Amino acid sequence: MKRLLAATAAAAAGAACVAAVVVLRRAGRTRQAGRPGLRETGLRENRRLHRNLRLRRGLATIQLAARGGARYASSAPRLFAAAGEHRQQLRNDLALQTAEDVASTLGTMKGVLMKLGQMASYIDNGLSPSVRRTLSRLQDSVPPMSPELAAQVVESELGGPPEQVFASWDPEPIAAASIGQVHRAITRDGRAVAVKVQYPGIAETIAADLGNVALLRRMLKVTAPSQDVDALLGELRERVLEELDYRREADNQRLFADYYDGHPTIVIPAVVDELSTRRVVTSELADGARFADLASWSQSERDLAAETIYRFVFRSLYELHAFNGDPHPGNYLFHGGGRVTFLDFGLVRRFTEVELEPLMQMARYLCVEHDPEAFRRNLEKAGFLRAGAPLSTEQIVEHMALFYDTVRESRPLTMTGDYSSAVVRRFFDVRSPVTTYAQIPRSYVILQRINLGLFGLLGELTATANWRAIAEEIWPFVLGPPTTPIGEAEVAWRTRHPVTLAGPAAAGARAAG
Amino acid sequence: MTISDAGQYATAAGLVERTAAAYVSGVPELPADDGLFGPASVTWKISGDLTGPVAGLRSLIMQALHPLAMAGVDQHSGWREDPVGRLAATSAYVTTVSFGERATAERAAARVRRVHTRVTGVDGVTGRRYEASDPALLLWVHAALVESTVTVRRLLGTPLTAQDADRYVAEMVVAAELVGVPAGMVPASMAELDAYIESVRPELRCTPAAGESMAYLLDPPGLDEEIADIWQDVRYGAIASLPDWAREMYGYTAEPLTPARREEIRQVLGVLDAVFLGEPGVLEARQRITALMRAAARPA
């Protein structure tokens, strides 16, 4: 188990700009020749699709999804050789009926393990098969609440039974959330909504278990170097504790929804404030294709979806100073033409200007100014690398370059599984001679997660784009002109969001430059 | 126990994997009947508790205090060569009797009775002859398991009412009968169980074989590193839950079980349970049991 959690922690530990730095301490010996997994390709003809994209804007109708809670249903066939009615009965029988059932399923560290496991669950290469199995089994082991139990939570949070609070309420959950489940409903003013309901008592249980710092530290200690364990543990505890209060999630979702309001391809469901509390969060219901469905979509559609995800991640970081820390494939819905709905803002990390600035400068000096010494100074400034380490700057740049490979040169590149694997492998390579001089400052722990996750997702989509050109549009120290149809479509939205141009991040960059 | 004594024992590697496989083998996929106890029983309710490993270890510590029972195990079972295999076999038997179909449980018990007929000898410490099929010995083994399950559950597990404890002891009479103890001899309530254990106390002692084998179990060599860490707390729980007199016989000491310490042990047991759940088939086996229990609780 220690091994398990250590791997989890390492996976969750410490980003591309940031990943690069962290990798210093884990980085391998010799850099592979070339760019692992990156393929050069020609530009794609996407004009027609992009016209469609504009047409679809605003046409995305919100429908009641007919999709069942896939996870619940899918585990049933393994239990009995029964189908149909029997399976439904089984699902009902396994449902959590009381707060005591919740405690016995998710109490005594299981909820905490599940949360930590979830943080690493989308990374294939960093975890051994047995660790992955244990973590995924743990997730499978949590059944949904019975309709009665979910109704009790709604009643105690919203002041009335769901049938009264909502015009229509579907007692069957449509999806599992890590510490709750999602129900469809229609509000009294006629909006179709998704209502996330938290398991009763779970917040208290997890908070109590997170209090056993000694056990957590013991579990995390094995592979994470000792100087990192406390920083890591502190950050993980804080983030998990935040996730327990849905009001915080609602605040974050509002922040993103407001910012991306009117964006041509990024869709954030609006929060219904009056139906959101500590344990219940209600937002507009979104429907769309799942990540797995993209496998059957055309490559040009996949490229567009990937571009939107990429823009979302880096605009959020550089302009909103916020990072959605859960790039789980289940947190996206795809609508074609590059439109993507982003779900689940439970794990958002907001950054101060001071925290962000060195990251920005690192990208700037490595990729734009080509000034390795300044790059190194910023590594040190951010706290990733101990000042005065007896390492040549060349050696450092050599190890880090892999993480910037997609943005070092302006040309179309294809992300592949090989590339994301190479990134993860280098990240987990503990034999680096520079380990002694590197560390992960606590503020950046979560960034690491997103970066590894992002590379994994884009690699799975085998997405092609000129990532550098897109990055230049977003980098506050470049603020380049639109380079793709989505970029052009963004212009109208951007003029309504002047924060992009006059935001603190851009100001910081100018001051530092 | 000295270090050199440890040399004659095989390592405890694979403890979790093999006990998990044993558990899965004992829970049928499509049972033809509800078995000896059934989904409405306290036996089913009680056996899913995460204190199981502590209760199991405590039972063995208690059982070993009977010189004749210990001598039988020591001289015949060959457990030194394959201690994990022996534990897994015991665990498979208990699971089969608890959750297996009637016929399966009865077959397993018949096998045990057959093996017992061959286990006879003389205890080198007391000089007394023993036979494993002796109901008096079998009853002690039975009582130690039942009493440990209740005591550990009460100390470290989720609460158990006095009524449920009595029901559990009464339900377990069948299990004792299966291995060959006449029902009339078997305690059928907590009061009877406590009185019985009190009555056996004069016969109990920590023989060298008991001290040595328990020292192995308390600190088994070769455990996977992560499990070894967890095992320290399992051991602590088992020792802390022993009656004072039993602890004194072994010469064990245990710091008092404070509420904070209790919570810590429960958390560690939760981690162990998560590891157990990660083994193939364990989650499905548990879900089968839960589903049947829920179906039994549903109004017809």
Side-chain angles (χ1 to χ4, degrees):
Chain A
M1 199 61 207
K2 274 197 305 193
R3 203 165 52 218
L4 184 164
L5 280 172
T8 305
C17 11
V18 178
V21 180
V22 174
V23 163
L24 263 181
R25 40 185 292 279
R26 309 186 188 279
R29 305 114 299 174
T30 50
R31 180 164 174 245
Q32 285 166 266
R35 296 175 162 74
L38 286 177
R39 277 203 313 269
E40 225 167 318
T41 59
L43 275 169
R44 288 175 182 279
E45 276 301 319
N46 278 332
R47 293 268 171 236
R48 199 162 44 82
L49 277 168
H50 288 296
R51 272 198 301 278
N52 287 346
L53 173 163
R54 288 178 206 184
L55 284 175
R56 288 184 206 186
R57 241 179 93 187
L59 287 180
T61 50
I62 295 159
Q63 302 166 324
L64 286 179
R67 186 184 318 114
R71 202 167 81 201
Y72 307 143
S74 69
S75 71
R78 294 198 300 266
L79 305 179
F80 293 105
E85 255 175 64
H86 190 165
R87 194 181 305 164
Q88 182 57 39
Q89 185 58 55
L90 184 65
R91 188 177 148 182
N92 293 344
D93 283 341
L94 291 176
L96 303 168
Q97 319 262 352
T98 60
E100 287 74 48
D101 288 346
V102 176
S104 69
T105 308
L106 283 160
T108 54
M109 301 311 280
K110 291 210 190 76
V112 169
L113 288 180
M114 211 182 69
K115 287 309 303 175
L116 296 183
Q118 193 188 25
M119 292 186 174
S121 60
Y122 53 85
I123 298 170
D124 281 313
N125 299 274
L127 302 174
S128 76
S130 71
V131 167
R132 289 184 62 77
R133 191 185 64 208
T134 299
L135 292 176
S136 85
R137 299 258 68 192
L138 206 49
Q139 309 230 346
D140 288 344
S141 75
V142 185
M145 285 180 270
S146 67
E148 297 76 20
L149 186 59
Q152 280 170 30
V153 177
V154 170
E155 180 157 4
S156 73
E157 290 293 308
L158 301 179
E163 298 75 18
Q164 224 169 73
V165 175
F166 296 92
S168 162
W169 170 262
D170 183 352
E172 283 294 314
I174 54 164
S178 60
I179 51 168
Q181 63 195 30
V182 182
H183 288 262
R184 293 172 301 177
I186 296 173
T187 61
R188 300 180 75 89
D189 57 6
R191 280 176 291 175
V193 289
V195 186
K196 186 153 105 177
V197 182
Q198 193 174 96
Y199 293 137
I202 190 66
E204 292 77 4
T205 301
I206 288 184
D209 285 344
L210 280 171
N212 190 342
V213 179
L215 179 57
L216 292 174
R217 192 185 284 124
R218 226 162 78 196
M219 294 191 294
L220 292 172
K221 201 130 197 169
V222 179
T223 62
S226 56
Q227 83 242 31
D228 292 341
V229 170
D230 287 339
L232 185 61
L233 191 54
E235 183 74 5
L236 289 175
R237 288 184 65 211
E238 205 166 290
R239 298 282 85 76
V240 172
L241 283 169
E242 279 181 11
E243 273 193 271
L244 301 177
D245 186 346
Y246 284 174
R247 288 175 305 189
R248 178 142 192 135
E249 178 174 343
D251 285 346
N252 286 326
Q253 190 164 340
R254 233 175 265 121
L255 173 81
F256 283 87
D258 288 350
Y259 184 69
Y260 287 107
D261 182 36
H263 190 282
T265 61
I266 296 170
V267 184
I268 316 286
V271 177
V272 182
D273 296 346
E274 63 276 19
L275 295 170
S276 298
T277 65
R278 231 177 139 74
R279 309 283 180 239
V280 170
V281 60
T282 302
S283 57
E284 282 175 349
L285 186 66
D287 191 20
R290 293 278 166 174
F291 189 80
D293 302 334
L294 292 193
S296 63
W297 287 23
S298 69
Q299 187 58 51
S300 50
E301 277 290 349
R302 290 152 60 112
D303 291 347
L304 290 173
E307 181 182 338
T308 295
I309 293 174
Y310 190 87
R311 285 178 183 273
F312 171 76
V313 168
F314 290 104
R315 284 215 183 280
S316 299
L317 177 65
Y318 286 122
E319 297 169 4
L320 216 43
H321 292 188
F323 226 67
N324 184 3
D326 206 350
H328 184 274
N331 292 340
Y332 306 89
L333 292 173
F334 300 89
H335 314 281
R339 277 177 71 88
V340 180
T341 296
F342 295 82
L343 304 169
D344 200 332
F345 294 83
L347 190 63
V348 170
R349 176 70 155 88
R350 301 201 198 177
F351 291 93
T352 64
E353 194 180 329
V354 172
E355 288 168 336
L356 259 187
E357 209 232 71
L359 301 186
M360 211 153 41
Q361 300 304 346
M362 280 155 51
R364 175 188 183 171
Y365 286 117
L366 188 71
C367 304
V368 180
E369 309 283 343
H370 305 291
D371 181 345
E373 291 303 332
F375 172 71
R376 178 179 184 158
R377 277 199 304 280
N378 278 284
L379 278 184
E380 294 172 354
K381 189 173 165 189
F384 290 115
L385 182 70
R386 204 183 296 163
L391 303 163
S392 73
T393 299
E394 232 179 359
Q395 192 181 359
I396 292 164
V397 170
E398 176 89 356
H399 284 306
M400 310 261 301
L402 177 67
F403 299 91
Y404 290 91
D405 265 0
T406 55
V407 291
R408 292 189 84 190
E409 287 168 49
S410 185
R411 58 189 177 143
L413 288 168
T414 302
M415 298 264 197
T416 64
D418 287 348
Y419 175 65
S420 60
S421 300
V423 168
V424 172
R425 266 201 312 278
R426 182 156 297 185
F427 178 71
F428 284 103
D429 191 336
V430 293
R431 286 165 298 188
S432 165
V434 292
T435 300
T436 338
Y437 306 102
Q439 59 203 337
I440 313 167
R442 177 175 162 175
S443 355
Y444 304 118
V445 163
I446 207 164
L447 266 174
Q448 195 85 37
R449 214 183 125 183
I450 293 95
N451 264 297
L452 294 175
L454 180 67
F455 282 125
L457 281 179
L458 301 183
E460 253 182 85
L461 293 174
T462 54
T464 302
N466 185 335
W467 308 106
R468 167 61 182 258
I470 299 170
E472 284 191 7
E473 289 181 45
I474 298 168
W475 278 338
F477 47 88
V478 180
L479 290 178
T483 60
T484 73
I486 294 179
E488 283 164 25
E490 271 186 336
V491 172
W493 163 76
R494 278 164 65 85
T495 52
R496 287 200 303 277
H497 290 268
V499 62
T500 305
L501 299 172
R510 279 194 298 273
Chain B
M1 177 182 176
T2 61
I3 302 293
S4 62
D5 292 335
Q8 60 186 304
Y9 295 90
T11 74
L15 179 64
V16 170
E17 294 84 345
R18 292 176 68 184
T19 48
Y23 172 78
V24 172
S25 73
V27 183
E29 277 191 38
L30 288 164
D33 57 50
D34 285 342
L36 295 168
F37 305 98
S41 65
V42 181
T43 300
W44 278 38
K45 192 160 93 182
I46 217 170
S47 58
D49 199 76
L50 50 80
T51 54
V54 177
L57 182 58
R58 184 191 184 273
S59 322
L60 294 172
I61 298 173
M62 289 291 281
Q63 288 164 352
L65 285 174
H66 198 300
L68 301 188
M70 186 63 231
V73 172
D74 192 49
Q75 295 172 13
H76 291 270
S77 78
W79 76 283
R80 285 186 179 84
E81 290 79 53
D82 184 16
V84 171
R86 180 67 218 276
L87 281 175
T90 303
S91 166
Y93 176 74
V94 171
T95 311
T96 299
V97 168
S98 303
F99 298 106
E101 293 168 12
R102 279 176 174 277
T104 318
E106 276 157 15
R107 270 198 309 275
R111 229 174 7 252
V112 169
R113 288 197 306 268
R114 241 184 351 263
V115 170
H116 280 167
T117 58
R118 296 194 295 267
V119 178
T120 60
V122 175
D123 168 34
V125 178
T126 58
R128 287 167 61 193
R129 272 202 65 77
Y130 65 82
E131 291 172 14
S133 54
D134 175 1
L137 290 188
L138 293 168
L139 181 56
W140 169 249
V141 170
H142 169 83
L145 173 66
V146 174
E147 193 267 336
S148 292
T149 303
V150 173
T151 300
V152 170
R153 164 84 184 233
R154 282 184 162 162
L155 206 60
L156 294 170
T158 42
L160 183 71
T161 63
Q163 201 182 3
D164 274 357
D166 276 335
R167 265 188 64 197
Y168 171 66
V169 176
E171 285 173 9
M172 290 308 281
V173 171
V174 174
E177 271 189 281
L178 267 191
V179 288
V181 188
M185 284 175 69
V186 190
S189 67
M190 277 307 290
E192 288 178 24
L193 181 62
D194 290 340
Y196 164 76
I197 288 174
E198 201 55 35
S199 75
V200 181
R201 265 183 65 184
E203 292 182 52
L204 305 179
R205 71 173 75 174
C206 174
T207 61
E212 186 188 298
S213 47
M214 291 309 113
Y216 173 88
L217 279 182
L218 292 179
D219 195 10
L223 279 184
D224 295 338
E225 194 189 359
E226 57 267 38
I227 301 298
D229 225 29
I230 289 173
W231 198 254
Q232 292 178 10
D233 285 313
V234 173
R235 171 178 65 195
Y236 171 82
I239 291 176
S241 62
L242 285 172
D244 292 339
W245 53 261
R247 242 191 331 266
E248 278 160 23
M249 284 181 183
Y250 280 107
Y252 300 151
T253 52
E255 325 139 41
L257 189 67
T258 60
R261 188 80 181 92
R262 177 184 180 278
E263 198 46 40
E264 268 172 35
I265 290 178
R266 283 180 53 77
Q267 287 167 329
V268 168
L269 290 176
V271 173
L272 180 59
D273 199 50
V275 173
F276 197 69
L277 261 184
E279 291 299 318
V282 171
L283 174 60
E284 287 79 2
R286 287 209 182 153
Q287 288 182 329
R288 290 198 291 271
I289 294 169
T290 305
L292 289 168
M293 287 171 69
R294 294 275 171 74
R298 206 169 42 234

